[in-house]
Amino acid sequence: MFEALATTVIDLDIPVDGDALETALFWRDRFEAKLVEAVCRFDDTNEWDTAEGCASMTAWLRVRGRMTNSDAQRMATTARRLRHLPVLRAAWLSGEVSGGHVAAVVANLNDRTAPLFQAREDDLVPMLAGLDVTEAVVAMKSWAAHAKETLDDGHEGEPDPDRSAHLSPTLKGGRLDANLEPEAFHAAQAALRLAMGRRGEDDERTPAQRRHDALAEIFTNFLDHQHDHKAGRHRPHVNITIGLEELTSGRGQGCFDDGTPITAQAARRLACDANIHRVITKADGTVLDYGRSTRTIPAPLFQALCIRDRGCRFPGCDRPAHRTDGHHVAEWIAHRGPTNLRNLVLLCRYHHGVVHRPGWTIELQPDATVIITTPDGRKRRSQPVDRRALAA
């Protein structure tokens, strides 16, 4: 199939003629409709994560498809929206509407308004098909504004009670609810805005998810820089208890302070960059000895690591250093790997989890080149940003 396509493309000679160019663009658009449909199916398999180690479908398109961030984001978003818009998807595949019409629809939908459009697809899609792309953009902007008014109508907010905050555990994590005084609200709003930053082109998170992650970073940043403990980069975020055998083997589980279980694999990932206490207990759990805290990566060494790596070293990842952890290439737990620059790399929290999965390996060359080997044996490389920093 692809051999015939390759031959056709290679042999194709488009005349310098407006009609011929229009025809070629029409078939390119039909081909893109097929591509987006394939992206949608591939996204459903989650293979971009399980087989490729990419953080999202967008990241996979950027790395494997050799696309820009904006083009990868556009294709992944379009595929995700069309998954729930069968009439629009079929119209694009048949050529009744163009990719420009589809882009006008996708740009004016969000998670709240998309179900309204889906409910009226049978009427809206033929109407859009009769418009040129410019008219379709105007029509969709008008529809989106009307849809927002419909959803917002009759939902006036109730007055807030006195200030309060509640943090409660749930089966999946926890829930935070708060009623803020004006000063606290504006401080929280400003802090969240700064922590969220500008939305990256490959960022597929919803606004609510971005606020969640920004809030987590605010909490983490406070713990990293609080002044009650003088040692640099103090990170007493959570306490995990796990047996030595489980930790070294990566099998079994440990638990948080409240008894919530955590897998041994997850605990090993966290232990790459953490404070470790030796605790000796009796079989019934009675503590016999509680050793001194040992820092796996001291603050000065972590700063040198940041100077060298600048950010996550997983090939294709662009997360900056302040969103990374130090990873021992040769694990200090299982293989007694040393804690020095020749055995450490920066990895974002997502890719730190990837390299701890079975079948994945990571190698650090003397020139600081990182080599990632996937479970199927493919090798991917990441060069250091600035080789001059190796002297740090």
Side-chain angles (χ1 to χ4, degrees):
M1 175 178 63
F2 289 110
E3 290 80 2
L5 177 62
T7 301
T8 300
V9 172
I10 292 171
D11 294 341
L12 182 63
D13 184 13
I14 302 174
V16 184
D17 175 78
D19 291 339
L21 188 58
E22 180 183 4
T23 301
L25 289 171
F26 172 79
W27 286 108
R28 186 195 71 165
D29 190 68
R30 295 283 298 277
F31 182 67
E32 184 169 1
K34 292 279 190 180
L35 275 178
V36 170
E37 185 180 40
V39 167
C40 181
R41 294 198 303 267
F42 184 73
D43 192 15
D44 288 338
T45 68
N46 207 39
E47 195 172 328
W48 45 262
D49 177 14
T50 56
E52 303 291 342
C54 291
S56 65
M57 186 70 237
T58 297
W60 187 93
L61 288 169
R62 188 178 71 245
V63 175
R64 295 296 301 277
R66 299 190 292 182
M67 301 171 69
T68 64
N69 283 338
S70 58
D71 287 344
Q73 171 71 16
R74 176 186 58 80
M75 181 170 282
T77 300
T78 301
R80 187 173 65 248
R81 287 291 181 208
L82 290 184
R83 179 184 292 118
H84 306 292
L85 300 174
V87 178
L88 181 62
R89 182 174 69 247
W92 191 16
L93 287 168
S94 68
E96 296 175 48
V97 299
S98 70
H101 291 89
V102 173
V105 172
V106 172
N108 287 282
L109 294 183
N110 57 40
D111 291 341
R112 294 180 67 213
T113 60
L116 295 181
F117 187 93
Q118 182 181 0
R120 294 196 55 202
E121 260 199 300
D122 291 334
D123 298 325
L124 292 173
V125 172
M127 181 271 293
L128 291 170
L131 305 176
D132 64 30
V133 173
T134 301
E135 293 170 336
V137 170
V138 174
M140 280 304 304
K141 286 182 178 179
S142 176
W143 180 90
H146 178 72
K148 183 177 183 302
E149 290 179 359
T150 300
L151 291 170
D152 291 344
D153 186 39
H155 291 279
E156 297 295 333
E158 295 292 330
D160 286 338
D162 292 338
R163 68 185 188 278
S164 62
H166 303 278
L167 182 63
S168 309
T170 65
L171 292 176
K172 294 184 177 181
R175 182 178 180 86
L176 174 63
D177 296 290
N179 291 295
L180 306 178
E181 290 183 333
E183 295 87 350
F185 168 76
H186 288 288
Q189 187 179 50
L192 282 172
R193 183 175 66 250
L194 290 174
M196 290 170 69
R198 296 184 60 184
R199 182 173 182 175
E201 294 177 337
D202 64 341
D203 192 344
E204 295 183 334
R205 295 173 298 171
T206 66
Q209 290 171 333
R210 293 180 68 226
R211 284 191 292 272
H212 169 279
D213 295 348
L215 194 61
E217 287 203 17
I218 290 171
F219 294 156
T220 301
N221 189 66
F222 171 80
L223 291 171
D224 277 349
H225 300 93
Q226 46 81 28
H227 300 298
D228 290 339
H229 300 268
K230 301 303 180 182
R233 203 166 166 259
H234 182 73
R235 306 181 74 183
H237 305 341
V238 294
N239 290 319
I240 296 171
T241 303
I242 186 170
L244 179 61
E245 181 179 347
E246 288 78 8
L247 185 63
T248 54
S249 68
R251 293 187 294 271
Q253 64 183 29
C255 65
F256 292 93
D257 282 349
D258 62 358
T260 302
I262 180 174
T263 65
Q265 281 288 350
R268 283 179 64 155
R269 174 176 58 81
L270 293 174
C272 263
D273 190 1
N275 286 333
I276 306 297
H277 285 271
R278 172 182 55 81
V279 182
I280 300 176
T281 66
K282 294 174 63 177
D284 62 1
T286 302
V287 175
L288 299 178
D289 182 55
Y290 187 76
R292 294 181 59 189
S293 172
T294 301
R295 177 76 223 167
T296 57
I297 303 180
L301 179 57
F302 186 81
Q303 292 302 317
L305 191 58
C306 290
I307 292 172
R308 186 193 70 187
D309 288 351
R310 305 289 182 86
C312 179
R313 292 296 307 281
F314 197 95
C317 186
D318 58 359
R319 294 296 185 267
H322 70 271
R323 295 186 178 181
T324 63
D325 297 320
H327 170 71
H328 285 75
V329 175
E331 290 189 59
W332 69 269
I333 297 172
H335 307 296
R336 298 185 181 276
T339 301
N340 57 40
L341 282 178
R342 298 300 178 184
N343 190 46
L344 293 170
V345 293
L346 290 183
L347 292 172
C348 71
R349 277 136 209 177
Y350 173 79
H351 285 123
H352 198 175
V354 169
V355 300
H356 275 272
R357 295 175 185 172
W360 289 82
T361 64
I362 181 170
E363 181 182 352
L364 181 63
Q365 298 289 312
D367 66 350
T369 296
V370 170
I371 301 176
I372 301 289
T373 304
T374 64
D376 60 3
R378 288 182 295 108
K379 294 185 181 294
R380 299 170 60 186
R381 296 173 182 269
S382 167
Q383 302 290 338
V385 175
D386 186 353
R387 294 180 183 274
R388 292 172 300 177
L390 292 177

